[in-house]
Amino acid sequence: MSITVIIPTYNRDAFLEDAVLSVAGQTLACDELIIIDDGSIDNTRRIIENMARRLPFPLRYYCQENKGAAAARNAGIGKASSEYLCFLDSDDRFAPEKLQLQYHAMLQSGSLISHTRETWFRRGILLNQKKRHRPREGFIFDDCLTMCVVGMSTVMAGKEIFDKYGGFNERLPCCEDYDFWLRVSVRENFQLIDRPLTIKHGGRADQLSVIHRQGMDRYRIMAIVNLLDRNRLTDRQRQLAIEELHRKCMIYGRGCCRHGREAEGRFYLGLPGKYREKCSWAMAE
């Protein structure tokens, strides 16, 4: 059995060393660390070259033109040689026992995918998570519809998950994680290691969740529409997806209308009705 850790990064030289050191400090060493540099123009390459000589495992560094987080993660998945894959955002860190506890829990349960709890910091201040943000276990499709309930840096997955469900959607500039966990949760059981084994840092202007804050529901709507178009849902899952599509479209569509984007607003306000008609037709058949 083997583990690959994948770190996508873009202009994060101030945080990257701490992320890599958190991988190097694991009580169970990974078999390789893959860093996908998504077109950085800072000191990322120099930092990685200096660190590579000090690590107890192979560090494989690849640089590509800037294509976004989804493309960087997909590139890492394609180059990984291990049976289990972990992801670490370059401004986050692993707790020292993260890989060991998660790996052995998955071996014992036979799960194909697992995640952990997180410790959140915003501008260096510890945050208390709200109840709705606590990670869930089992078949979490219902929870995945409402928001992204799986932290990217918490995941360990068998590589075959990506053979079954494909990679991250490179057409999405953000919410690619929401899209992927939604697709996987249609069929897969998510194991939860109920300990805060990932340290997450937020509150900065360079983060995708901040850059795309105003339009994030549009990308979640795209994810739900793509899911409905795949037509692989149970009747219950389809109904839940249409209900959540309606909720998100009402919020986003009305917002468009308030800000003078009438045509865009009307499109989103009318979108759920098309899927309700399809669902009614399918049920009648």
Side-chain angles (χ1 to χ4, degrees), residues 130-238:
K130 296 179 180 178
K131 185 176 180 180
R132 68 191 183 97
H133 292 131
R134 292 176 186 170
R136 313 298 203 274
E137 183 169 43
F139 292 98
I140 60 173
F141 177 78
D142 301 22
D143 298 305
C144 286
L145 275 170
T146 58
M147 68 179 76
C148 187
V149 295
V150 180
M152 194 70 238
S153 295
T154 73
V155 169
M156 179 180 285
K159 196 173 184 182
E160 63 187 276
I161 282 284
F162 303 95
D163 297 329
K164 292 175 68 174
Y165 299 99
F168 295 93
N169 187 343
E170 298 183 16
R171 294 177 298 166
L172 297 175
C174 71
C175 300
E176 77 288 342
D177 48 354
Y178 171 89
D179 173 87
F180 187 73
W181 310 133
L182 191 56
R183 280 187 275 138
V184 175
S185 67
V186 170
R187 295 285 180 270
E188 299 295 334
N189 187 325
F190 281 66
Q191 183 177 5
L192 174 65
I193 290 76
D194 196 17
R195 291 181 59 177
L197 298 176
T198 303
I199 299 94
K200 186 171 184 62
H201 296 273
R204 299 191 318 279
D206 68 327
Q207 294 180 300
L208 293 178
S209 58
V210 176
I211 294 170
H212 298 284
R213 181 177 63 249
Q214 298 300 325
M216 287 183 71
D217 258 348
R218 179 161 63 99
Y219 302 119
R220 295 189 182 110
I221 289 167
M222 289 174 61
I224 297 174
V225 166
N226 289 338
L227 188 72
L228 288 166
D229 287 344
R230 287 171 179 263
N231 202 28
R232 297 174 183 173
L233 305 177
T234 65
D235 290 343
R236 178 182 177 276
Q237 288 172 334
R238 178 167 290 274

Side-chain angles (χ1 to χ4, degrees), residues 28-285:
L28 174 67
C30 65
D31 294 86
E32 62 179 0
L33 170 62
I34 294 177
I35 297 180
I36 305 295
D37 183 350
D38 193 38
S40 297
I41 57 174
D42 58 5
N43 291 318
T44 291
R45 180 185 290 273
R46 180 178 60 80
I47 289 170
I48 292 171
E49 288 173 349
N50 289 338
M51 295 196 72
R53 309 184 189 100
R54 299 184 275 132
L55 297 178
F57 44 74
L59 189 159
R60 300 167 59 194
Y61 171 69
Y62 302 91
C63 188
Q64 64 183 29
E65 65 180 64
N66 183 250
K67 299 179 181 178
R73 292 193 187 102
N74 287 341
I77 293 165
K79 296 177 185 302
S81 59
S82 300
E83 296 172 71
Y84 290 88
L85 307 185
C86 287
F87 300 89
L88 178 62
D89 286 350
S90 54
D91 55 348
D92 294 340
R93 289 180 286 121
F94 287 159
E97 66 273 26
K98 198 257 188 191
L99 295 185
Q100 181 178 10
L101 292 178
Q102 197 164 14
Y103 178 71
H104 288 304
M106 289 183 69
L107 285 183
Q108 186 174 15
S109 67
S111 296
L112 285 178
I113 188 164
S114 71
H115 62 143
T116 77
R117 294 180 62 187
E118 299 170 305
T119 301
W120 289 359
F121 288 91
R122 178 176 294 164
R123 302 185 188 94
I125 299 173
L126 179 65
L127 295 181
N128 293 319
Q129 297 179 32
K130 296 179 180 178
K131 185 176 180 180
R132 68 191 183 97
H133 292 131
R134 292 176 186 170
R136 313 298 203 274
E137 183 169 43
F139 292 98
I140 60 173
F141 177 78
D142 301 22
D143 298 305
C144 286
L145 275 170
T146 58
M147 68 179 76
C148 187
V149 295
V150 180
M152 194 70 238
S153 295
T154 73
V155 169
M156 179 180 285
K159 196 173 184 182
E160 63 187 276
I161 282 284
F162 303 95
D163 297 329
K164 292 175 68 174
Y165 299 99
F168 295 93
N169 187 343
E170 298 183 16
R171 294 177 298 166
L172 297 175
C174 71
C175 300
E176 77 288 342
D177 48 354
Y178 171 89
D179 173 87
F180 187 73
W181 310 133
L182 191 56
R183 280 187 275 138
V184 175
S185 67
V186 170
R187 295 285 180 270
E188 299 295 334
N189 187 325
F190 281 66
Q191 183 177 5
L192 174 65
I193 290 76
D194 196 17
R195 291 181 59 177
L197 298 176
T198 303
I199 299 94
K200 186 171 184 62
H201 296 273
R204 299 191 318 279
D206 68 327
Q207 294 180 300
L208 293 178
S209 58
V210 176
I211 294 170
H212 298 284
R213 181 177 63 249
Q214 298 300 325
M216 287 183 71
D217 258 348
R218 179 161 63 99
Y219 302 119
R220 295 189 182 110
I221 289 167
M222 289 174 61
I224 297 174
V225 166
N226 289 338
L227 188 72
L228 288 166
D229 287 344
R230 287 171 179 263
N231 202 28
R232 297 174 183 173
L233 305 177
T234 65
D235 290 343
R236 178 182 177 276
Q237 288 172 334
R238 178 167 290 274
Q239 184 61 41
L240 289 172
I242 292 172
E243 289 173 2
E244 187 61 27
L245 178 66
H246 177 266
R247 190 182 73 84
K248 285 180 169 28
C249 282
M250 292 305 103
I251 294 171
Y252 186 77
R254 288 167 182 165
C256 289
C257 293
R258 282 197 304 271
H259 290 88
R261 304 199 307 274
E262 293 287 339
E264 184 181 5
R266 287 196 301 272
F267 171 79
Y268 282 100
L269 291 173
L271 185 60
K274 299 176 182 179
Y275 287 93
R276 282 204 180 97
E277 291 171 5
K278 290 180 182 179
C279 187
S280 299
W281 175 83
M283 295 295 289
E285 288 291 309

